[in-house]
Amino acid sequence: AELKKASKRLTCHKRYKIQKKIREHHRKVRKEAKKRGRKKPKKDPGVPSAAPFKEELLREAEQRKQRLEELKQKQKLNRQKEHEKKRKLEAKKNAAKIQEKAEGKESSGKSKAKTNKLLDKNSEKSFCRELKKVIEASDVILEVLDARDPMGCRCPQLEQAVICSGGDKKLLFVLNKIDLVPKENLEKWLNYLKKEFPTVAFKSATLMKDRTMEHIRKRRARVDLSRTTECFGIKCLLKLLQEYGKTQNKAIQVGVVGFPNVGKSSIINSLKGVRACNVGLTRGVTKSMQIVHVDKQTKMLDSPSIIADPSNNVLALALRSIIDTEESGSAELLEGVDAILNHCNKQQVTMYYNIPDFSNTEEFLALLARKRGMLKKGGVPDVENIAKLLLCDWTGAKISYHSQPPESQRPPPYLTEDKIAEMQECFNLKNLEEENNKTVQALKYPSPASSIIFQSAGMVNGTIEENKVIEVASEWENMETSKEGEEEEEEDFTESDDDQDDAEEEKDVKEVNQVSSTLALALVSLTHDFLFLESEHSNSLSFSLEKTTDEDDAYDFNTDYV
């Protein structure tokens, strides 16, 4: 037989007893509450409708509220930043602990972290090694310059190495991205640079634009994206190289060198007519020497980027160094963006990005992040990612800006008149000038008003020899121990900052409560006095504003009401 569930029914006697107990308990609670005295939330009496300066009082009260809200938001943002720092530090610590547990040794985890960082530094060493290979193997070296800042793309160490190497090596300038500068500015730069080295105006081919992509989507047709769009200056450059090959009576090797994102691989792809080399917005895509056969007589050698020396100014490092976006801190990125903004016309920058006026770099990045919808959790602008994106825009072929050439022609000390004549030998400079004029006339250019005026920081020092990179690594090794100590100090600092922020916020809240209570009492007394005066002087409707000193002390209308 199945067991039945116990019934929940109660006898009337038991049920009434329970109800009685509940009533007694509630009575007891009410009595205790009466003894304590109930604290009802005080109602805001507000400003009397007949009181003078009512609108001003309300306006001031709103302004006060806005100020307090802004202050709270700032404190909240600061706290969030500190918490993010804490989280990052904790994540690093946890990762280190996991490694230590896996290996079973505490020291091995630290040594591995050191070796990984040293290997990252030694990747720069490999860049230098590959670059040296290209310089040694090539007969003609093309130094690629960005037409927006040609002087900022020149490397004196590279030029000196080519000139002093001997073996009849020739150096040419290729002025790339000429479609991003005004026509007059381009002509000025061509006239300036051709006095030192033979210069070719060039516009490399890029991938298909958005318009063609839209047609592709509509038709649903398969299109080979490796094929590139139209380029300018290709005939001029090929003709120049072929003529030089004929004078040498041999097949020549042409090395393409330059700083990151100047368009080295794009030039090779344009000459070949197919995407032979990898191209990307990220810096340092090419990591080793790559040989591309253009025709029977010419071989193109693609090289890794020149590494900017750490001794350069902030602007040069921001635009010309190989930045690792994952490892680079927000402070470095902010410094880079700040340097770019300081070297530009502020009004033109605000016009280009279509944002309101800003006081500092952080505000500019916050406004830009909000405009582009780059927000973190809680609607906080993602400053780090927008800074990375901005740096990519300024090095990539997106923003139109231009710098002016120096007023006086002062060649560097290693470039004497004999060396200039030697470099210009074997080249038909008249034909080169005619071809450059044709390319200049064929292209469409941005107007000077739409192009941002940029102040160049001059030539950028680069590290070509491996020994210098090793020195940098060893310096880092010595500094590592001090950095670890700094990280521990930072942790303590962030914790103390959080406590301070909380204390400050509590103080602000207390002050606000005190002010509100005093103002409420003042307003109550004011309304009482006002009603009393109104009843006494019912015949006279005019309200006398001329008060005695005692009445003025009673309540001041200029005080803020919250």
Side-chain angles (χ1 to χ4, degrees):
E2 288 183 6
L3 289 166
K4 287 184 179 180
K5 285 183 181 179
S7 177
K8 289 182 182 179
R9 291 173 71 182
L10 297 169
T11 58
C12 291
H13 174 72
K14 205 170 185 180
R15 190 165 68 249
Y16 295 145
K17 200 175 180 181
I18 290 162
Q19 285 173 1
K20 193 181 176 184
K21 286 270 185 189
I22 290 163
R23 280 198 300 273
E24 281 173 3
H25 172 73
H26 284 315
R27 202 181 295 121
K28 196 179 179 182
V29 168
R30 282 199 297 274
K31 271 186 181 180
E32 282 175 4
K34 263 187 184 179
K35 280 177 187 176
R36 281 199 305 269
R38 204 179 289 173
K39 289 182 180 178
K40 284 184 180 178
K42 287 181 181 180
K43 252 191 177 183
D44 182 15
V47 184
S49 56
F53 315 113
K54 184 185 174 181
E55 289 179 4
E56 287 179 12
L57 275 169
L58 291 168
R59 206 179 297 119
E60 283 169 3
E62 280 177 16
Q63 284 174 3
R64 173 81 176 175
K65 275 183 184 176
Q66 282 176 359
R67 273 187 234 121
L68 286 165
E69 281 172 3
E70 283 172 3
L71 192 133
K72 280 181 182 178
Q73 280 181 348
K74 277 182 183 176
Q75 285 176 351
K76 195 179 178 182
L77 285 168
N78 289 331
R79 258 184 274 111
Q80 280 176 350
K81 281 180 185 176
E82 294 300 330
H83 285 310
E84 277 177 17
K85 277 184 185 177
K86 263 191 176 182
R87 278 191 212 112
K88 282 178 183 176
L89 287 165
E90 282 171 3
K92 281 180 182 177
K93 273 191 171 182
N94 291 335
K97 280 178 184 176
I98 290 158
Q99 279 184 358
E100 282 169 18
K101 281 178 184 178
E103 290 164 2
K105 289 177 184 179
E106 289 181 4
S107 59
S108 62
K110 285 183 181 179
S111 63
K112 263 206 167 187
K114 281 184 184 179
T115 50
N116 286 336
K117 287 189 178 180
L118 283 169
L119 280 167
D120 290 338
K121 289 281 174 187
N122 289 334
S123 67
E124 291 184 1
K125 184 182 167 184
S126 70
F127 272 40
C128 290
R129 199 186 299 120
E130 292 295 317
L131 185 66
K132 212 163 190 183
K133 273 188 200 174
V134 171
I135 293 165
E136 285 170 5
S138 51
D139 304 304
V140 179
I141 291 155
L142 305 179
E143 190 179 2
V144 184
L145 311 176
D146 192 330
R148 297 171 292 182
D149 183 20
M151 199 56 78
C153 296
R154 284 182 68 176
C155 178
Q157 285 79 13
L158 173 83
E159 290 172 16
Q160 196 170 357
V162 173
I163 289 164
C164 301
S165 64
D168 294 330
K169 286 189 194 292
K170 301 289 177 188
L171 184 71
L172 300 177
F173 283 152
V174 178
L175 203 62
N176 196 18
K177 302 181 187 180
I178 57 170
D179 58 320
L180 297 172
V181 293
K183 191 179 177 182
E184 293 169 6
N185 185 257
L186 174 63
E187 286 169 350
K188 281 180 188 176
W189 273 112
L190 285 168
N191 289 329
Y192 179 85
L193 294 168
K194 73 179 183 185
K195 289 171 185 174
E196 293 182 16
F197 293 100
T199 309
V200 181
F202 202 89
K203 191 262 171 187
S204 56
T206 53
L207 285 172
M208 293 186 176
K209 294 179 183 177
D210 295 338
R211 286 180 186 177
T212 53
M213 288 298 287
E214 281 169 18
H215 290 303
I216 292 158
R217 282 171 191 165
K218 283 174 186 176
R219 291 173 191 167
R220 293 183 183 178
R222 287 183 183 178
V223 176
D224 185 13
L225 291 173
S226 64
R227 292 283 164 191
T228 51
T229 55
E230 195 180 355
C231 60
F232 296 87
I234 188 166
K235 286 179 183 176
C236 174
L237 187 57
L238 279 171
K239 197 177 178 183
L240 201 72
L241 295 171
Q242 282 165 0
E243 281 176 2
Y244 180 74
K246 283 174 185 176
T247 55
Q248 297 296 308
N249 292 320
K250 64 169 186 177
I252 57 163
Q253 291 188 329
V254 182
V256 185
V257 295
F259 282 104
N261 276 53
V262 288
K264 301 181 291 295
S265 301
S266 299
I267 287 168
I268 294 168
N269 290 342
S270 303
L271 293 169
K272 181 74 176 170
V274 184
R275 191 175 176 179
C277 304
N278 285 331
V279 181
L281 281 170
T282 51
R283 303 179 192 186
V285 174
T286 309
K287 288 175 183 177
S288 59
M289 186 174 80
Q290 193 176 346
I291 301 163
V292 178
H293 294 263
V294 175
D295 54 39
K296 289 177 183 179
Q297 295 299 314
T298 49
K299 279 183 192 174
M300 302 299 291
L301 308 178
D302 193 9
S303 69
S305 305
I306 301 165
I307 294 153
D309 198 77
S311 62
N312 286 305
N313 55 21
V314 181
L315 179 71
L317 292 169
L319 293 173
R320 306 288 164 236
S321 65
I322 299 163
I323 293 172
D324 188 358
T325 50
E326 288 178 4
E327 287 186 7
S328 59
S330 58
E332 289 174 19
L333 293 164
L334 281 168
E335 278 178 13
V337 174
D338 188 43
I340 290 166
L341 292 174
N342 288 336
H343 284 75
C344 294
N345 188 347
K346 191 180 177 182
Q347 194 178 353
Q348 285 183 321
V349 171
T350 51
M351 291 253 307
Y352 178 81
Y353 286 107
N354 197 16
I355 54 167
D357 192 23
F358 54 91
S359 56
N360 55 16
T361 311
E362 282 186 17
E363 192 184 341
F364 166 76
L365 290 169
L367 288 164
L368 192 62
R370 281 199 185 93
K371 201 197 170 205
R372 294 195 177 177
M374 290 182 78
L375 303 169
K376 288 182 185 176
K377 198 175 179 182
V380 180
D382 195 352
V383 175
E384 277 186 36
N385 283 329
I386 201 76
K388 287 171 190 175
L389 198 116
L390 188 122
L391 287 171
C392 282
D393 286 355
W394 277 78
T395 49
K398 193 170 184 181
I399 295 170
S400 170
Y401 64 90
H402 66 278
S403 59
Q404 294 296 331
E407 291 176 4
S408 58
Q409 188 89 26
R410 287 181 186 175
Y414 56 81
L415 202 63
T416 58
E417 286 182 8
D418 297 332
K419 292 286 181 186
I420 291 166
E422 193 184 319
M423 287 291 149
Q424 289 177 351
E425 237 178 347
C426 305
F427 293 114
N428 194 339
L429 298 174
K430 283 184 180 179
N431 285 348
L432 175 62
E433 199 172 338
E434 284 171 12
E435 289 292 331
N436 277 339
N437 288 331
K438 282 179 186 176
T439 52
V440 168
Q441 295 301 322
L443 263 168
K444 282 184 181 179
Y445 300 94
S447 62
S450 65
S451 181
I452 298 165
I453 297 163
F454 181 78
Q455 290 176 354
S456 180
M459 287 189 189
V460 179
N461 294 321
T463 50
I464 295 166
E465 294 176 12
E466 289 177 48
N467 301 331
K468 288 182 181 179
V469 179
I470 293 160
E471 281 170 18
V472 170
S474 62
E475 277 174 24
W476 179 86
E477 205 171 284
N478 295 329
M479 291 292 285
E480 197 187 24
T481 50
S482 63
K483 276 187 182 177
E484 282 174 6
E486 281 173 18
E487 276 183 7
E488 286 172 11
E489 284 176 13
E490 273 184 353
E491 271 193 67
D492 299 332
F493 180 70
T494 50
E495 283 171 16
S496 61
D497 274 357
D498 285 334
D499 296 334
Q500 282 177 2
D501 285 339
D502 293 333
E504 280 174 14
E505 198 172 306
E506 282 173 13
K507 278 183 184 177
D508 289 331
V509 170
K510 281 178 185 176
E511 282 174 14
V512 170
N513 291 334
Q514 284 174 5
V515 170
S516 60
S517 60
T518 50
L519 282 169
L521 288 165
L523 277 165
V524 169
S525 63
L526 175 72
T527 47
H528 183 267
D529 294 339
F530 181 71
L531 291 165
F532 178 72
L533 283 164
E534 203 170 21
S535 62
E536 271 194 350
H537 306 283
S538 57
N539 297 328
S540 59
L541 292 166
S542 61
F543 188 86
S544 62
L545 294 170
E546 292 175 9
K547 293 184 180 181
T548 59
T549 53
D550 297 329
E551 283 174 340
D552 280 331
D553 291 334
Y555 180 73
D556 186 9
F557 279 96
N558 293 326
T559 54
D560 293 335
Y561 167 69
V562 179

